[in-house]
Every structure is written in C-alpha cells, then in structure tokens.
Amino acid sequence: MSFKIASSPHQHNQRSTAQIMFMVALACLPGIAVQAVLFGYGVLVQLALAIVTAWCSEALVLKLRGKAVLVRLKDHSALLTAVLLAIAIPPYAPWWIIVIGTAFAIIMVKQLYGGLGNNLFNPAMAGYVLLLVSFPLQMTQWLPPLSLQSIELAPWDAVCAVFSQYSCSGFSLTQLQTSIDGVTMATPLDTLRTDLSRGLTLDESRQNPVFYGFAGAGWLWLNLAYLAGGLLLIQQKIISWRIPVAVLSSLFVLSAIAALATPDTIAGPLFHLFSGGTMLAAFFIATDPVSASTTNTGRLCYGALIGLLVFLIRNFGGYPDAYAFAILLANMAVPLIDYYTRPRTYGHRTRSELK
C-alpha cells in the first residue's frame, strides 16, 4: 500500500478531479441555454473559442515544462476555466477578447504558479479583470434581452458578429444594442449606476425598460438558471453550501439595511441577488476548491467577505458588477482566514491553556 499526498482540490467522495470539474461545467448548461436564448447565441461562439484557446495554452505550457500533456488536459480544469470566462463576458464581444482573457488565465494565473492546485487566484476571474480593465468598451457591449431587441438575430448572425462586429445582414453592434424604443441598452446594474451618477433617484431610474421586474429584463431568469445548477452541485456534494449561503446572506442583509436607510439611492436585496452575475459567482466561481478557504468556518467568513465587497463596490466603487474584484480580493485573504479558522488538532492545547 502507498500513501499519496496531493494538493487541493480535495473532496470527501469517490469522484476524481476530472469528474468534479466536468460536473461543474455541466451544471452551467441551464444558465448557458437561458443566456443563449435571451442574450444571443454569441455565447456559444465564445465558448468554442475559449475552450480551444484553453486547451492549446495548457498544452503549450505543459509541453514547455516537460509534463504529460494529455493526462493533465483530461482533468477538465482548463475546460472549466474556459466555460466560466466565456459565459461572463458579453456574448458579442470581439473574438480576440476571449482569446486574450483565456490565454492569460491559463498561462499566467494557473500554469505560472505550477498548475492545478497551486494557483493563488481564480483563473477565470483574473482573466475577466484583465479584460475589464484593459478593454472596458468591449466588455460592456451586452445586447438587450430578447423582449427588448429591435433586430431579430439568427444563430449564424452570432458568428458574423463575434468575428466582424456586424451581423450577417450588415447591422453593426451598436445597432444591435439598440432596444425597440431606440435606446442603446446596458445591463441593469450599469444603467442604475449611470442614472444615480446623473442625479436621478432609484424610482426615476427604474422607469427604464431594462428594469422590467425587480431584477431586470432577462436577468432574473438567467440567475434562476444558475441557481438551479448551483443547487444541483450542492445536492451532489460537489461544492459546500457554506460559501454560496454566506455570499448571498451577506449581500442580502447589507443591501436590505442600506435600502431601508437610503431607499432613493440603494436598490433592494432582491435586485442585488437576481441581477448581474450573482448566482454564477456565488455557486460556480467563489466555490473554486483551490483558491477558496478550506475550513468550514473559513468558508463562511470567505463567503461573507465576498458579499461585503460586492455590496461596497456595487454601491460605492467604480464598477457596476463587482464579483470578479471581490473574489480576487477574497482570494488574497484566504491564507489569513484559514490560519485563524483552522480546527484544533485532537489532544493538542493552545499556549494560553498550557499557561
């Protein structure tokens, strides 16, 4: 018999790392389907580009490091990174956006630190932040949801738009972003931030058709789809419930208190929970077994910290949807969180007890 020691991710079940990564990717399918129907089939093109780029980048670095390529590609970690980054960016962003972001995530954030189990930061979110800071215009080109689109797009229009920024019929991306009432659309979070900076109140901003319902047109269904996938992961014991519950609870409590105190400038908790990338981040990204906290108490602290940072950045920072920044900042705090929340070894006493 031999006793093998390996780095995280560790799971208390009989599934391999490859099975876990693949099941997380599969759990994204409901959200991907809703996103494709409501916001355009460009997400499918982005997925294809991201997966090919991730596999090529990982194979290249592994070859340079003298490692077995096929064995490590089969753990599906590169696949999952590609999927998470592809569904986080606008569906019709230029093709080179996803190529740059995915290559950076795999080469610089993952492989540069030694590969799976050694990366300090979540690769997908690091790639997303690079793109958001470097190419802010391209990273905000979300189309209006299906109910508000002025131009009907066929599936093959997605390929044309991603590679040329024009549909097959010749419509530019700016024209595609125009809603049925002639207004260029943005996400509900971005629209709210812009309106508040112009001196409008929350009620005045909500007159925009993008705020259909309490979470924004299309965004409620998208978040519900990712919530369903996340609950499946918890039911299958792929992820721990502590991190997503702590993230959502922290964001809910803080936004509820702030909305009661300043109802004209702070949106309510349901808006924050079901708009933007809330459910995707809480269940699929914050729960990364490598860069997240590993103790039970630490996971609660880690999730609560992410919820706090999201609330602060969304309402007082410079970016409307703050999950990428919040998760990377929380990743930096993980060693400290784990140090102070590690369980006591059975039979050992602390220094204070020895005195």
Side-chain angles (χ1 to χ4, degrees):
M1 296 179 64
S2 61
F3 181 74
K4 296 182 180 180
I5 299 176
S7 60
S8 56
H10 305 297
Q11 295 287 337
H12 297 287
N13 55 44
Q14 300 301 314
R15 298 187 180 97
S16 65
T17 298
Q19 290 173 324
I20 292 170
M21 297 293 177
F22 192 66
M23 289 187 68
V24 174
L26 287 180
C28 292
L29 289 180
I32 293 172
V34 172
Q35 187 169 333
V37 171
L38 295 182
F39 294 97
Y41 294 98
V43 64
L44 304 180
V45 181
Q46 303 289 356
L47 279 167
L49 289 170
I51 292 171
V52 172
T53 303
W55 282 342
C56 292
S57 300
E58 183 122 314
L60 174 63
V61 178
L62 290 172
K63 191 69 174 178
L64 293 174
R65 294 176 58 199
K67 303 291 184 180
V69 176
L70 290 179
V71 173
R72 285 168 173 79
L73 283 180
K74 289 179 181 179
D75 66 15
H76 299 312
S77 59
L79 169 69
L80 181 58
T81 297
V83 169
L84 294 177
L85 183 56
I87 60 182
I89 71 171
Y92 291 95
W95 65 269
W96 47 267
I97 287 285
I98 191 63
V99 171
I100 293 174
T102 306
F104 176 82
I106 297 296
I107 297 174
M108 303 301 295
V109 185
K110 180 186 177 185
Q111 290 296 334
L112 189 64
Y113 288 93
L116 180 64
N118 299 298
N119 48 286
L120 303 177
F121 301 100
N122 184 289
M125 289 300 94
Y128 181 88
V129 167
L130 170 76
L131 296 176
L132 187 61
V133 172
S134 304
F135 312 104
L137 177 61
Q138 289 80 4
M139 289 295 288
T140 57
Q141 293 178 333
W142 283 86
L143 264 63
L146 182 64
S147 59
L148 298 177
Q149 289 179 9
S150 60
I151 301 172
E152 186 176 350
L153 295 175
W156 51 85
D157 283 316
V159 179
C160 297
V162 170
F163 284 96
S164 69
Q165 297 296 278
Y166 287 87
S167 70
C168 297
S169 303
F171 293 104
S172 68
L173 194 62
T174 302
Q175 291 173 306
L176 298 179
Q177 286 182 275
T178 304
S179 67
I180 53 179
D181 58 359
V183 177
T184 301
M185 303 298 292
T187 66
L189 287 169
D190 193 31
T191 300
L192 178 61
R193 169 174 294 279
T194 301
D195 289 345
L196 292 177
S197 66
R198 293 167 49 205
L200 300 179
T201 65
L202 182 62
D203 289 337
E204 290 172 336
S205 178
R206 283 187 175 276
Q207 302 304 312
N208 191 307
V210 75
F211 288 104
Y212 176 79
F214 60 81
W219 291 93
L220 171 61
W221 296 110
L222 185 60
N223 275 277
L224 287 176
Y226 284 119
L227 172 61
L231 293 177
L232 175 63
L233 293 178
I234 293 177
Q235 189 272 331
Q236 292 293 315
K237 298 183 180 180
I238 301 296
I239 63 174
S240 170
W241 59 267
R242 291 174 177 82
I243 292 177
V245 167
V247 171
L248 300 178
S249 299
S250 175
L251 181 60
F252 180 90
V253 171
L254 291 171
S255 57
I257 295 174
L260 290 174
T262 55
D264 289 336
T265 57
I266 303 293
L270 291 180
F271 174 78
H272 282 288
L273 289 182
F274 291 99
S275 189
T278 301
M279 296 300 171
L280 172 64
F283 287 94
F284 293 90
I285 301 175
T287 54
D288 174 26
V290 177
S291 58
S293 179
T294 56
T295 67
N296 287 338
T297 304
R299 287 168 178 163
L300 293 173
C301 298
Y302 172 77
L305 176 61
I306 292 175
L308 169 64
L309 291 171
V310 168
F311 170 78
L312 293 176
I313 297 173
R314 276 186 177 181
N315 292 288
F316 307 107
Y319 293 92
D321 203 352
Y323 272 102
F325 294 98
I327 289 173
L328 293 182
L329 290 171
N331 289 161
M332 297 172 63
V334 163
L336 187 65
I337 293 173
D338 282 350
Y339 178 81
Y340 283 105
T341 60
R342 60 186 178 184
R344 183 193 303 182
T345 305
Y346 179 76
H348 285 212
R349 290 184 294 176
T350 63
R351 291 184 178 180
S352 61
E353 291 174 331
L354 291 174
K355 293 179 181 179

